[in-house]
Amino acid sequence: MGAKRVRTVLAVLVACWMGACTTTSSTTHRKDDIAQDQKSRAQAHLELGMSYYDSRNFEFAIEELNEALKSKSDFVPAYDGLALIYMELKEDKKAEDAFKKALRYKPDSSGTKNNYGQFLCSRGRAQEGLRQLLGAVKNPLYDTPDVAYTNAGQCARREGDNQAAEEYFRQAVMRNPRQGQALYNLSDLNFIKKNYSQAKVYGDRLLQMMDKPGPEVLWLATRIERKLSNMDSVSKFSEQLRRRYPDSPETRALLDGRFE
């Protein structure tokens, strides 16, 4: 091969190599730009859809979440949002389908498992629900395991398994000492067991967290203090209950003397 021919071939190879690199880089950038644009559009539709959900405008919420999925078919937050809406509308098959699609795309989504578990428990499918809820807390990156444990406790309690419920609530409080729902349930369960001193421990922790306790909390505190013969505390809590929530079922129970 002559020198001129060699130079020509090298020039072609260099040109092709540079072109290939430029094409690959450009293609990669375009793909990245397209993916980012899809995600941005999906996120925008998600945010609008959830704002409609918050205002109970479910029709527009569903429309926006479906638009999010048109932009990005594997956008798990949109499936989660649709599942919550269909739960509210009692369209159980659609809700479950949305949960399953979310988990198909992201099997380790603890948020989805928590919501799906709540859904199943609320529909009388406690064992399935508990599997989802306890699966949620297995993910070490899940930042609110106390929520899933609290939901598991409530699920078990609805099924009449107070022993399991108490353990789940304890697990919730271990992970978040300010988990109010778990503290309330632990206080109430100990009251039921006639372990009034322990009921007071949990109840006092809950009261210290609250600026304005609700009627159920004040009523439980009243009954606990009554069992412990702390009559000054009974007067304090019952007075708050009557003054703040005069029309509540708890106040009616107090006025009727139905302490048990």
Side-chain angles (χ1 to χ4, degrees):
M1 186 181 292
K4 184 176 179 181
R5 175 64 175 161
V6 170
R7 286 196 298 271
T8 301
V9 171
L10 287 174
V12 171
L13 288 172
V14 169
C16 289
W17 178 82
M18 290 182 67
C21 288
T22 302
T23 302
T24 301
S25 177
S26 299
T27 301
T28 300
H29 285 309
R30 282 199 298 273
K31 286 180 179 178
D32 288 344
D33 289 343
I34 291 170
Q36 185 58 45
D37 181 58
Q38 289 172 336
K39 186 174 182 180
S40 296
R41 282 187 281 116
Q43 184 66 33
H45 284 298
L46 171 71
E47 291 174 4
L48 184 55
M50 295 315 289
S51 71
Y52 282 129
Y53 170 76
D54 290 338
S55 62
R56 314 288 293 175
N57 193 335
F58 296 143
E59 181 180 355
F60 286 129
I62 291 170
E63 183 178 320
E64 288 298 327
L65 293 173
N66 280 324
E67 286 297 320
L69 291 171
K70 287 179 184 177
S71 298
K72 194 174 188 312
S73 61
D74 62 347
F75 196 48
V76 169
Y79 287 115
D80 285 337
L82 285 170
L84 292 175
I85 293 168
Y86 289 130
M87 277 179 64
E88 293 267 2
L89 295 174
K90 300 294 189 292
E91 294 189 41
D92 289 358
K93 186 179 185 308
K94 289 183 178 180
E96 188 157 12
D97 286 346
F99 280 128
K100 287 180 176 178
K101 285 178 182 176
L103 289 172
R104 186 182 311 148
Y105 286 116
K106 192 174 180 183
D108 62 346
S109 175
S110 291
T112 302
K113 289 181 179 180
N114 174 66
N115 292 336
Y116 189 21
Q118 276 190 291
F119 164 75
L120 292 168
C121 287
S122 70
R123 300 308 191 257
R125 297 161 63 182
Q127 294 307 310
E128 296 173 78
L130 286 169
R131 278 197 296 273
Q132 293 295 331
L133 292 166
L134 298 178
V137 301
K138 290 180 180 177
N139 182 353
L141 300 179
Y142 186 32
D143 57 357
T144 56
D146 60 295
V147 174
Y149 272 122
T150 298
N151 290 332
Q154 291 173 328
C155 186
R157 193 169 182 186
R158 280 197 297 269
E159 291 298 300
D161 190 349
N162 286 352
Q163 183 176 352
E166 188 171 355
E167 178 57 29
Y168 294 139
F169 291 131
R170 275 201 297 264
Q171 291 292 333
V173 171
M174 283 174 60
R175 285 155 178 79
N176 178 9
R178 297 181 63 81
Q179 173 49 256
Q181 286 182 306
L183 286 170
Y184 173 82
N185 278 278
L186 284 169
S187 181
D188 192 43
L189 286 168
N190 276 279
F191 181 84
I192 291 170
K193 292 195 303 182
K194 304 185 183 212
N195 190 351
Y196 304 122
S197 296
Q198 190 61 43
K200 178 176 169 58
V201 169
Y202 288 120
D204 285 350
R205 285 173 61 180
L206 179 60
L207 287 163
Q208 288 168 9
M209 293 165 38
M210 306 179 81
D211 293 328
K212 189 177 179 182
E216 68 286 347
V217 174
L218 290 171
W219 179 228
L220 179 57
T222 300
R223 291 182 294 149
I224 291 170
E225 299 295 355
R226 184 172 178 271
K227 289 293 186 181
L228 294 171
S229 300
N230 297 330
M231 302 316 293
D232 288 343
S233 294
V234 171
S235 297
K236 178 181 74 172
F237 290 128
S238 60
E239 191 276 330
Q240 289 181 51
L241 180 59
R242 287 194 302 269
R243 176 167 48 83
R244 293 178 184 173
Y245 309 102
D247 299 321
S248 69
E250 291 82 4
T251 297
R252 288 197 294 274
L254 171 68
L255 296 176
D256 292 343
R258 293 182 279 112
F259 290 94
E260 300 299 331

